[in-house]
């Protein structure tokens, strides 16, 4: 029931917990105060009773001195003594009772024996003992009225403070919870907008609290990456369409020409059509490969082999593409570096890096290929002094179908899948691939693979 009445939000919960903590501390505080006061009162009352006993003895002595006899003394002090709760019996030095005043309470039968305290004091007049007085405190009032009033006042103030504190705590907790929940609500708003596909929204009010700051940064980052993912998806579909359209329209127009009898179906023509078909099927293979990578289904057949030898052979096989562009190829291959890897897949990666360097570097450019070991890794670098990649393009080059602005403006013939595949293959080998590039100056790719020592 109570649970249902309390709203299930941070605001209510903060207020409730603040108030219960405040109430608990007030209760503990007031119990402690009451115990302390009552205990100290006991001591205080004993002390004041002792002082009172002395006062009564002095009063008797002084009154006796003035009046000179016990009867007058008795009638003078009887009234005030009776009202105070003290009873006295005065005996002369021989032990005869000369005066007796019973307290009002004992007369009324209210005296409580357990609380009665008695003391015998000498009555001294002019330095001489004239009698002894037994003073009895009947103890019906362990605390006098004033003491009670004090305790009552203390508790009244505690009650007042409690009410004030609750009011104050309530206001503070409302403020604190509002302060805390505002950024969370902001984030929730942004999150639901993101959910609805509005990828441009961001959390604008950056909170100061560390946890909320992390949450805000995460949601803003999510927004940014959803936006770029969305853009990439659109671009990717466009790119697939584009990549398929070019060879298909070539095929279509050439086949039409042959059907219409415009072209002879010569061996060369059919061979060139065949090349287009191969290009298409390679593209489909690449897309398929990437999807396998995506769903973590890439088969890697690892075996120990000599990476130095593989690179040397690839460089010989691909030398012609560099020669054709008058590019100078500098090789620096450390011997006998062994890795435990999928040789065919690694070859794909290296061929893509070599053909990229070749494609994106002009006539007469320089291409450097290095292999060396560094710690636990085999390091392969492929650098060129070609067209380079702009800062804006750099974060996206591993995205499928992504081609830099500059490489798209001139047709370099790639489809933008090579590096996505390379990255996935290197990752599957627990390696890394990194790029450094400056637009119009050159590019350097660095691949690191665990050595097989
Ligand atoms: P594919 O390799 O699928 O035939 P591609 O070479 O265009 O096509 P990637 O190898 O993935 O695709 O490269 C992606 C993009 O990165 C390239 O289109 C190009 O814009 C840029 N790029 C890659 N290597 C270099 C390089 N060495 N110099 C300049 N730009 C490069
Ligand atoms: Mg490529």
């Amino acid at each position: 029931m109570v649970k249902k009445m309390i709203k299930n939000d941070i605001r209510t919960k903060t207020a409730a917990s603040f108030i219960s903590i405040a109430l608990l501390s007030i209760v503990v505080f007031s119990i402690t105060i009451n115990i302390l006061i009552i205990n100290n009162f006991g001591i205080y009352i004993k002390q004041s009773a002792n002082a009172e006993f002395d006062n009564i003895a002095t009063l008797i002595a002084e009154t006796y001195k003035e009046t000179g006899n016990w009867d007058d003394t008795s009638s003078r002090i009887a009234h005030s003594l009776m009202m105070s709760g003290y009873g006295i019996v005065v005996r002369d030095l021989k032990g005869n009772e000369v005066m007796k005043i019973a307290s009002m309470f004992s007369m009324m039968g209210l005296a409580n024996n357990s609380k009665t305290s008695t003391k015998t004091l000498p009555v001294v007049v002019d330095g001489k003992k004239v009698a002894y007085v037994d003073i009895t405190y009947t103890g019906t009032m362990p605390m006098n009225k004033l003491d009670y009033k004090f305790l009552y006042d203390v508790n009244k103030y505690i009650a007042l403070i409690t009410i004030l504190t609750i009011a104050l705590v309530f206001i503070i907790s409302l403020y604190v919870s509002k302060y805390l929940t505002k950024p969370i609500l902001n984030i929730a708003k942004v999150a639901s907008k993101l959910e609805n596909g509005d990828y441009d929204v961001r959390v604008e009010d950056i909170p100061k609290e560390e946890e909320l700051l992390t949450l805000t940064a995460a949601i803003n980052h999510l927004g940014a990456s959803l936006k770029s993912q969305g853009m990439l998806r659109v671009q990717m579909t466009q790119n697939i369409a584009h990549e398929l359209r070019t060879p298909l329209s070539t095929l279509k127009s050439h086949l039409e020409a042959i059907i219409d009898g415009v072209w002879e179906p010569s061996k060369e023509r059919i061979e060139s059509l065949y090349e287009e078909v191969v290009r298409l099927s390679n593209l489909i293979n690449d897309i398929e490969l990437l999807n396998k990578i995506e769903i973590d289904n890439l088969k890697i057949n690892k075996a120990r082999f000599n990476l130095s030898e593989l690179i040397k052979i690839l460089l010989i096989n691909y030398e012609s593409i560099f020669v054709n562009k008058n590019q100078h190829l500098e090789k620096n291959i450390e011997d006998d570096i062994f890795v435990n890897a999928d040789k065919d897949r690694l070859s794909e990666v290296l061929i893509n890096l070599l053909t990229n360097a070749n494609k994106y570097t002009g006539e007469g450019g320089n291409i450097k290929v290095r292999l060396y070991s560094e710690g636990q890794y085999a390091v392969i670098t492929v650098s060129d002094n070609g067209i380079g990649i702009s800062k804006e393009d750099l974060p996206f080059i591993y995205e499928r179908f992504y081609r830099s602005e500059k490489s798209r403006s001139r047709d370099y013939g790639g489809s933008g899948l090579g590096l996505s595949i390379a990255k996935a293959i290197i990752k599957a080998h627990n390696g890394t691939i990194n790029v450094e590039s400056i637009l119009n100056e050159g590019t350097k790719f660095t691949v690191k693979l665990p050595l097989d020592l």
Side-chain angles (χ1 to χ4, degrees):
M1 227 0 233
V2 178
K3 257 190 184 166
K4 269 187 193 160
M5 273 161 59
I6 294 176
K7 262 174 82 185
N8 212 356
D9 62 15
I10 294 185
R11 258 176 131 175
T12 322
K13 283 185 178 167
T14 330
S17 55
F18 273 26
I19 289 174
S20 29
I21 291 169
L23 276 180
L24 191 75
S25 28
I26 290 170
V27 167
V28 171
F29 170 75
S30 53
I31 289 175
T32 317
I33 289 280
N34 273 289
I35 290 174
L36 276 178
I37 289 176
I38 290 168
N39 275 350
N40 281 336
F41 261 2
I43 298 166
Y44 158 76
I45 285 159
K46 253 192 193 151
Q47 280 171 354
S48 67
N50 276 340
E52 197 57 31
F53 287 159
D54 290 340
N55 284 342
I56 289 169
T58 315
L59 178 73
I60 294 168
E62 277 169 2
T63 317
Y64 180 72
K65 190 185 169 188
E66 275 174 33
T67 58
N69 66 72
W70 293 115
D71 286 344
D72 287 343
T73 309
S74 172
S75 56
R76 271 212 205 171
I77 62 172
H79 183 71
S80 62
L81 262 186
M82 265 165 67
M83 299 311 288
S84 68
Y86 290 91
I88 55 166
V89 175
V90 182
R91 286 172 224 282
D92 62 16
L93 295 176
K94 286 174 193 146
N96 300 320
E97 187 177 304
V98 290
M99 182 174 135
K100 180 176 181 176
I101 300 167
S103 88
M104 192 174 63
F105 300 107
S106 63
M107 286 194 311
M108 287 156 65
L110 291 174
N112 176 344
N113 277 336
S114 65
K115 284 182 182 163
T116 302
S117 60
T118 304
K119 198 170 180 183
T120 303
L121 289 172
V123 179
V124 183
V125 177
D126 295 334
K128 271 190 204 157
K129 281 182 206 160
V130 292
Y132 285 97
V133 56
D134 298 329
I135 310 171
T136 311
Y137 180 69
T138 50
T140 46
M141 294 163 93
M143 292 186 237
N144 65 30
K145 264 191 194 155
L146 264 168
D147 304 335
Y148 267 126
K149 188 172 179 323
F150 178 66
L151 202 60
Y152 172 77
D153 281 350
V154 166
N155 283 314
K156 197 171 80 186
Y157 283 118
I158 288 176
L160 210 70
I161 289 171
T162 308
I163 294 167
L164 271 177
T165 312
I166 289 176
L168 213 69
V169 163
F170 193 71
I171 294 166
I172 291 174
S173 66
L174 279 188
Y175 175 77
V176 169
S177 59
K178 194 175 172 185
Y179 179 77
L180 285 178
T181 46
K182 203 178 152 216
I184 298 178
L185 289 177
N186 279 344
I187 292 166
K189 257 188 225 158
V190 169
S192 80
K193 279 189 183 166
L194 287 178
E195 193 190 350
N196 291 327
D198 181 359
Y199 299 147
D200 283 322
V201 284
R202 298 288 178 272
V203 182
E204 306 288 353
D205 290 340
I206 306 296
K208 288 183 210 78
E209 294 73 18
E210 215 177 295
E211 298 86 345
L212 294 175
L213 196 68
T214 317
L215 187 62
T216 308
I219 207 90
N220 280 347
H221 185 77
L222 180 71
S225 70
L226 278 174
K227 191 179 174 184
S228 71
Q229 290 283 323
M231 279 171 13
L232 282 171
R233 221 182 5 248
V234 171
Q235 209 177 38
M236 194 172 94
T237 335
Q238 270 175 4
N239 286 334
I240 293 181
H242 175 77
E243 295 301 326
L244 293 176
R245 192 182 303 116
T246 322
L248 277 175
S249 60
T250 318
L251 274 175
K252 194 178 158 219
S253 61
H254 288 196
L255 283 172
E256 270 169 5
I258 291 171
I259 290 167
D260 292 347
V262 180
W263 275 1
E264 277 288 303
S266 68
K267 189 168 182 270
E268 292 82 57
R269 292 237 158 91
I270 294 188
E271 262 171 12
S272 100
L273 292 180
Y274 177 74
E275 258 167 43
E276 288 299 323
V277 173
V278 168
R279 223 171 89 82
L280 270 175
S281 87
N282 282 344
L283 185 67
I284 305 288
N285 283 345
D286 276 355
I287 295 175
E288 209 169 48
L289 179 64
L290 271 169
N291 279 337
K292 273 191 192 155
I293 290 165
E294 192 100 302
I295 57 172
D296 253 345
N297 212 1
L298 180 69
K299 280 199 188 71
I300 300 280
N301 300 313
K302 283 190 185 175
R304 180 183 154 90
F305 68 89
N306 191 330
L307 184 61
S308 314
E309 291 308 313
L310 175 74
I311 294 180
K312 280 179 197 165
I313 291 168
L314 284 176
L315 286 175
I316 293 168
N317 289 348
Y318 281 80
E319 197 162 9
S320 61
I321 62 169
F322 299 106
V323 173
N324 287 345
K325 278 182 99 174
N326 288 320
Q327 288 165 339
H328 177 247
L329 182 64
E330 190 184 317
K331 312 166 210 178
N332 199 340
I333 311 297
E334 207 175 284
D335 281 327
D336 296 329
I337 290 186
F338 283 86
V339 288
N340 184 30
D342 188 320
K343 202 170 177 179
D344 292 339
R345 298 266 184 239
L346 270 196
S347 305
E348 271 179 67
V349 174
L350 295 169
I351 291 166
N352 182 50
L353 294 182
L354 292 176
T355 50
N356 281 356
N358 168 254
K359 263 196 290 189
Y360 305 117
T361 303
E363 292 268 337
N366 285 318
I367 284 107
K368 267 185 243 168
V369 180
R370 284 186 71 193
L371 169 69
Y372 56 94
S373 65
E374 191 181 75
Q376 300 289 305
Y377 289 91
V379 185
I380 307 157
T381 64
V382 178
S383 30
D384 61 58
N385 62 350
I387 64 171
I389 305 165
S390 73
K391 264 206 197 98
E392 292 74 38
D393 284 319
L394 216 48
F396 302 108
I397 56 162
Y398 299 107
E399 300 289 346
R400 48 189 62 188
F401 292 112
Y402 195 87
R403 287 186 291 169
S404 74
E405 195 60 47
K406 200 162 178 184
S407 67
R408 258 181 285 134
S409 60
R410 268 185 56 192
D411 195 10
Y412 285 95
S415 59
L417 289 177
L419 284 177
S420 339
I421 294 169
K423 183 154 192 178
I425 291 172
I426 298 300
K427 202 177 145 202
H429 282 88
N430 300 321
T432 57
I433 177 164
N434 283 302
V435 61
E436 296 155 62
S437 188
I438 297 172
L439 193 63
N440 297 324
E441 283 190 22
T443 306
K444 178 180 178 184
F445 278 95
T446 306
V447 173
K448 285 189 182 181
L449 288 169
L451 280 172
D452 191 48
L453 297 168

